[in-house]
Amino acid sequence: MKIKVAVFGRDDLINRFQSYLANREEIEAIPFVYQNASETTVLVEKAFMCDVYLFLENLPFLYAASKIKKKRLPSVQVNLDAYMILTSFYHLKNKYHQQLHRLSIDVLDEASVTEVLSELNISGTSIYTYSYQQSEEVNVEQITRYHKQLFEEGKIDYVLTSLYEVEQSLQEQGVPCYSMVTPKRNIDNAIEECKNITILNMSKSAQIVAGYIRIKNMDKIKAEKGELHLKELQLQLYQILLKFGHKTYASVLTNNENHYVVFGTRGVLDHITNHYRDFPLIKEVENALNTPIEIGFGLGLTAKQAEDHAKLALDACTHNTNSSCYIVNDRQETIGPLGVKKHFDTSRLYQALIHKAKLNNELSYNFIDFVQLRNNEPFSSNDIANYYRVTKRSAERTVNKLLNGNVIKIVGEEKPYVKGRPRKLFQINI
């Protein structure tokens, strides 16, 4: 399997990255070189044939973040973590012979600096840190002014920056400045993350979706209005399903039980996940036939598994008097009914995410979008990994923060149809 990675970086970073791929035949790097970080907003549009988007620096990713979020593109950043700061400190002391005090540093997350200083038993009183994690938009001029003011006030002797633009600006103004060193390990970790995300997305796209659709109370309709009327309704339903199949690249079949069967893959799956709260197929059929219907979707790795799960989903519809649609996913977890909005207090949830789970603004808004998209159905850490397009480990870290803050609670376990430990299911506790 060849994984196409769109790599965003400056010439020197791209060349270094390419050198690390000498023995990695499974990775095909498509370089997107920029002079200014802001160019990535345009370059992202040109990477449409790639499996995953890798950013070698933080600032270019932050410029492109809104487009990545809007298009839900699978993306990875080379991590600016404690190990990267520790490596940079080593270079400062041994290559540039600088003492590790009277300096200012800018990073994504101040916690990484605190961790390193604690490990090295260095007092932070003469080290000033600028964190741009909470910033909605990174202001290079503001960060540059922060460092320059400290230097002019005599509080620091030099600057360690994670941003190339800041380094260039400070050097032009005569402020001693060094750029952080990106360790090979961090780049290797980013490559592995690219592989994991791509494999996860490929396994998701390989899922088969089966749908069983039938008119509710067929015997009653036949008794009251006759068999001819029932056949007319079924023909109308078939025509609507053919249009649905064309839109979602699915096949529509009939069986001997007066059911219609839909078979599809990614197109149907995307349509379902985008319409948890408002399932337009139900409304379209009800408006045309003026009678309730039942829809059961099943997900599986084989057609047989998908069909079996669709039958289980259809059985769940019998408990409702009106039209309904349920899904039984590949873990035999029942989701639904679709098209029925489950309301929750988004304001209270946001406050809990910020103050109890200690998530930043972006993660908080994304999680609220995730809950709304899933119509407040139970979810697993795997669902979060799929939605955010991150590794399972990263998703589990977010889940642990939510649990520790009492923002979510455990409501059950998945019932896997293959071997493996059942995974916990969660729901918001607000």
Side-chain angles (χ1 to χ4, degrees), residues 293-355:
I293 62 161
E294 298 172 332
I295 304 175
F297 283 110
L299 277 58
L301 298 177
T302 67
K304 179 68 168 61
Q305 287 168 345
E307 266 197 285
D308 290 344
H309 294 162
K311 290 173 184 176
L312 291 174
L314 195 65
D315 288 342
C317 296
T318 59
H319 304 297
N320 298 310
T321 55
N322 300 319
S323 293
S324 57
C325 175
Y326 286 86
I327 303 167
V328 172
N329 64 18
D330 53 353
R331 302 178 298 270
Q332 293 190 359
E333 171 191 350
T334 302
I335 299 170
L338 268 64
V340 179
K341 291 184 182 179
K342 295 182 180 178
H343 295 284
F344 61 95
D345 192 331
T346 55
S347 178
R348 280 188 63 202
L349 178 56
Y350 174 77
Q351 293 299 321
L353 292 169
I354 292 290
H355 299 294

Side-chain angles (χ1 to χ4, degrees), residues 364-426:
S364 299
Y365 287 130
N366 284 348
F367 183 73
I368 292 170
D369 287 343
F370 169 75
V371 174
Q372 287 179 324
L373 182 65
R374 289 184 60 85
N375 203 21
N376 201 10
E377 293 288 347
F379 60 88
S380 66
S381 58
N382 243 40
D383 294 321
I384 287 184
N386 288 341
Y387 178 79
Y388 287 107
R389 299 184 187 273
V390 297
T391 61
K392 189 173 177 236
R393 183 177 295 180
S394 178
E396 286 171 347
R397 282 199 295 267
T398 300
V399 165
N400 286 334
K401 286 184 179 180
L402 296 169
L403 282 171
N404 292 336
N406 204 31
V407 178
I408 62 173
K409 60 184 177 182
I410 299 170
V411 292
E413 288 186 334
E414 297 169 334
K415 301 170 184 173
Y417 60 88
V418 292
K419 290 181 180 179
R421 274 171 58 184
R423 291 179 293 222
K424 289 183 176 63
L425 294 173
F426 311 98

